[in-house]
Structures are given as structure tokens and as C-alpha cells.
Amino acid sequence: MDHGAHHTTTAHDHDAHQAHGGHAGHAGHEGHAGHRTGGVTWGAAAKATLHCLTGCAIGEILGMVIGTALMWGNVQTMILAITLAFVFGYSFTLFAVRRAGLDWKSAIKVALAADTVSIAVMELVDNSIIALTPGAMDAHLSDGLFWGALLGGFAVAFLVTTPVNKWMIGRGKGHAVVHAYH
């Protein structure tokens, strides 16, 4: 077998990988060969933040709805909402890297490395907005204030977390860890 021909036809084209599937902006992550390939775009950081925000929002809304429906106190409801935000935030990454072939232990490590800082910043900002919005903590599911504070908190959290993710991806951390498994 001519191994030289095999390597020519199956060589990994890193530039093509960077451009596929909208990952052109993730050029700052550690590549498959472990080298750095430059800066990361704001679009790539926003996409990573939106990925994280989606899981966080599902978990947090579910936690707020459950706690409010059960007439729990504010502290218990926020603890449930934050816990579920982390669970759903991690699960989006966890199941994606499991589909890529990682075992459970490795997949959990990747999810923790990829999303912990992003989710933590997002939850800190979002829950601070909710806590500081007058009346939001006592609002019910049927109140516009409940949903306005929650969605407003998500918007501000997105704006604050995107630069954090840009910085981390540019250093091969955070969401960049996941791209080795695409």
C-alpha cells in the first residue's frame, strides 16, 4: 500500500475545518494538532454564549416556574433555578461530545471545562438583575414583571458573558475545548 498517497488524500485541512459549519470564528481554539491559530471573532463568542444561554435559560425558567408554582420561597426557587441552569447548560455540551464518541467521564470533564465559567457569569448577572428589579422576586408566573425581569436578565447576561467567552476562547479555554470534538 502506498502510504504517501494515502496521507496526501486524507491530510487534515485545518483551514477547511475552521471554515466548516460556521466555525471560522473559532480560530483561537487549540486546534487538532495543539497549535494556536489566531484570534476569535465576536460572532464566534456570541455563538458560544448563545449556546450556553440556551441551556441556562431552559433550566432557569423551569426552576422559576416550578418554584413559583409550588409557592416556594425566593431563596429555594433561585437555588432550584440556578441548579437547573447548570444542569441544562452542561447537558447541551455533554450530549454533543458524547455523540462525538467521548466516554462519560471524559465528556463530563469537557463539559465542565467548556461551560463552568460561562454559566457562572451568566447566572450571577441574570440573578442579580432579577434580585435587583423591584417586585420581580415576588411576581407570579402570570405577571409581566416576572417575565420582563427574567428575559431582561438574560439579555444583560448575554452582553456581559460574550466578552468573557471571547477572551476564554481566544486562549483555548471555555467553549474552545469542545471544538476538538467537532
Side-chain angles (χ1 to χ4, degrees):
M1 173 177 206
D2 180 9
H3 292 289
H6 173 73
H7 289 302
T8 348
T9 59
T10 60
H12 183 68
D13 183 350
H14 214 30
D15 292 334
H17 173 70
Q18 294 297 331
H20 92 72
H23 295 324
H26 289 301
H29 77 277
E30 292 293 323
H32 293 285
H35 64 279
R36 300 186 68 79
T37 56
V40 63
T41 66
W42 282 104
K47 187 174 181 179
T49 305
L50 187 58
H51 175 267
C52 186
L53 178 64
T54 302
C56 289
I58 291 169
E60 190 161 332
I61 290 170
L62 185 59
M64 291 288 189
V65 167
I66 291 169
T68 302
L70 295 175
M71 294 185 280
W72 286 1
N74 292 337
V75 173
Q76 295 90 343
T77 299
M78 287 193 90
I79 289 171
L80 177 62
I82 292 167
T83 300
L84 290 178
F86 273 91
V87 168
F88 278 86
Y90 286 138
S91 70
F92 276 36
T93 299
L94 179 67
F95 292 112
V97 295
R98 284 281 297 145
R99 277 192 305 274
L102 261 65
D103 61 273
W104 278 104
K105 185 177 179 181
S106 298
I108 289 168
K109 287 180 181 180
V110 168
L112 291 172
D115 295 332
T116 299
V117 172
S118 183
I119 295 171
V121 170
M122 202 166 293
E123 286 303 298
L124 177 67
V125 172
D126 175 48
N127 285 286
S128 295
I129 298 291
I130 294 168
L132 295 173
T133 301
M137 294 297 293
D138 297 317
H140 296 282
L141 296 175
S142 59
D143 295 337
L145 180 60
F146 173 87
W147 295 102
L150 191 60
L151 297 176
F154 290 148
V156 173
F158 177 83
L159 294 174
V160 171
T161 308
T162 299
V164 172
N165 282 333
K166 183 179 187 304
W167 181 82
M168 290 180 60
I169 294 166
R171 282 150 187 77
K173 308 281 186 211
H175 193 73
V177 174
V178 174
H179 287 277
Y181 304 99
H182 280 263

